[in-house]
Amino acid sequence: MRKDHYARFDGIVLFTRKYKEKDLLIKIFTKEFGKRMFFIKNIQRQNNGLREIAFPYMRASFVGTINDKGFSFLNDTDDVLFPKATISNIQANAYAAYMTGLTDAAFEDFIEEDKVFNLLWQGLGKIEAGVDPSVVANIFEIQLLPKFGVGPNFRSCAICGRDQGRFDYSMQYAGVLCEQHFHMDDRRLHWSPRASHFIRLFSQIPYDKLGQVDLQATTKTEIRQALDDLYEEYVGIHLKSKHFISQMETFVNPLDDKREKKYDNS
């Protein structure tokens, strides 16, 4: 039996899509009801009060009708957090699109996912606040892996449990190996010490403990390659937003990277 729910709910706009000539579909990840597709009629009308929500990455409190089947409908919004800085910056926009795309791919619609909702809400907030979007996205994709049915062990050596020192990742053991056990897997991924350090850190740090991060371009590239290998092996999805990021990063000149690496988690 179909049920309709008139409710107030927090939500994040994942994407918008034109529907017919004058209407719009907006996919919103709601905290209370999971991912839902909302229909807005006559979005182009100047007096349509819902025009202001037709932007990806926007976070707000919404009022509307939640339908268990088909489209849901919006009536009003409140406490709008408009992603002005994110939308106006090509790099921030690209990584935000990647994060929302991963969210849409990670689990089915209609499923309540409080933990992922809070992770995405806080991550988009960090990007809007000016934190390096590549780092924010790295944290997000690492901590989202369990929603793809993957649970790599980044915390400690899969053989002995050691959690200090140098580590590398082993597909065979689905986790990191300490230096004393590198010989256990001849096909380990050969992560650089820097990539290993930050991936292990990013797997555990909550966004509310994340301060300003300033990584060398070479370190970012090493992290990116390591995570790409994990996603290719374990997840196997290829998002357009990720392809765009890869193209965008080819324009980064590593010769410009002369800054000292810093990390602040105060």
Side-chain angles (χ1 to χ4, degrees), residues 13-241:
V13 177
L14 298 181
F15 64 82
T16 65
R17 181 179 299 157
K18 188 175 180 181
Y19 186 73
K20 297 184 178 179
E21 184 177 350
K22 299 179 180 179
D23 306 327
L24 191 72
L25 296 179
I26 298 184
K27 190 154 195 185
I28 299 177
F29 182 16
T30 76
K31 184 174 184 178
E32 294 82 357
F33 308 106
K35 296 178 295 180
R36 304 273 176 154
M37 191 70 81
F38 291 82
F39 174 81
I40 301 179
K41 189 174 181 62
N42 295 321
I43 190 66
Q44 295 179 347
R45 287 184 179 177
Q46 292 293 330
N47 62 350
N48 190 331
L50 297 176
R51 292 184 65 183
E52 68 175 12
I53 72 165
F55 295 91
Y57 332 129
M58 199 200 74
R59 297 168 291 149
S61 177
F62 298 89
V63 176
T65 301
I66 301 294
N67 292 330
D68 288 344
K69 295 182 179 180
F71 297 148
S72 296
F73 301 90
L74 295 172
N75 296 94
D76 201 3
T77 60
D78 195 11
D79 299 327
V80 174
L81 297 173
F82 189 81
K84 181 178 180 180
T86 302
I87 290 176
S88 62
N89 182 288
I90 187 171
Q91 185 183 44
N93 199 330
Y95 282 103
Y98 178 49
M99 290 165 60
T100 54
L102 280 179
T103 301
D104 201 27
F107 52 91
E108 297 295 327
D109 294 352
F110 303 98
I111 298 175
E112 183 180 347
E113 288 284 358
D114 277 357
K115 185 175 181 180
V116 179
F117 180 89
N118 292 331
L119 187 68
L120 182 60
W121 183 286
Q122 294 173 11
L124 292 176
K126 286 293 183 179
I127 291 179
E128 182 66 14
V131 178
D132 188 327
S134 66
V135 171
V136 176
N138 289 159
I139 293 172
F140 185 79
E141 58 190 325
I142 292 170
Q143 297 188 16
L144 191 66
L145 276 171
K147 292 304 171 184
F148 289 103
V150 182
N153 169 26
F154 297 114
R155 289 178 176 269
S156 58
C157 177
I159 305 298
C160 68
R162 187 190 306 271
D163 61 4
Q164 299 293 324
R166 182 183 174 188
F167 293 85
D168 194 6
Y169 192 83
S170 166
M171 294 290 189
Q172 178 181 342
Y173 291 96
V176 293
L177 300 178
C178 69
E179 192 168 14
Q180 285 76 9
H181 292 101
F182 282 175
H183 66 280
M184 298 291 291
D185 185 1
D186 293 336
R187 302 183 66 183
R188 59 189 172 84
L189 298 188
H190 296 280
W191 285 357
S192 73
R194 292 175 300 183
S196 175
H197 168 75
F198 282 105
I199 289 173
R200 295 181 67 236
L201 179 64
F202 292 168
S203 72
Q204 302 176 52
I205 188 170
Y207 279 129
D208 59 7
K209 298 295 185 181
L210 181 69
Q212 290 299 322
V213 184
D214 187 4
L215 301 182
Q216 296 178 0
T218 51
T219 301
K220 290 183 181 182
T221 298
E222 291 165 354
I223 294 172
R224 175 76 274 138
Q225 185 59 60
L227 295 183
D228 283 352
D229 289 343
L230 290 182
Y231 263 77
E232 185 64 30
E233 175 70 19
Y234 290 134
V235 180
I237 63 171
H238 302 90
L239 301 176
K240 291 182 180 179
S241 53

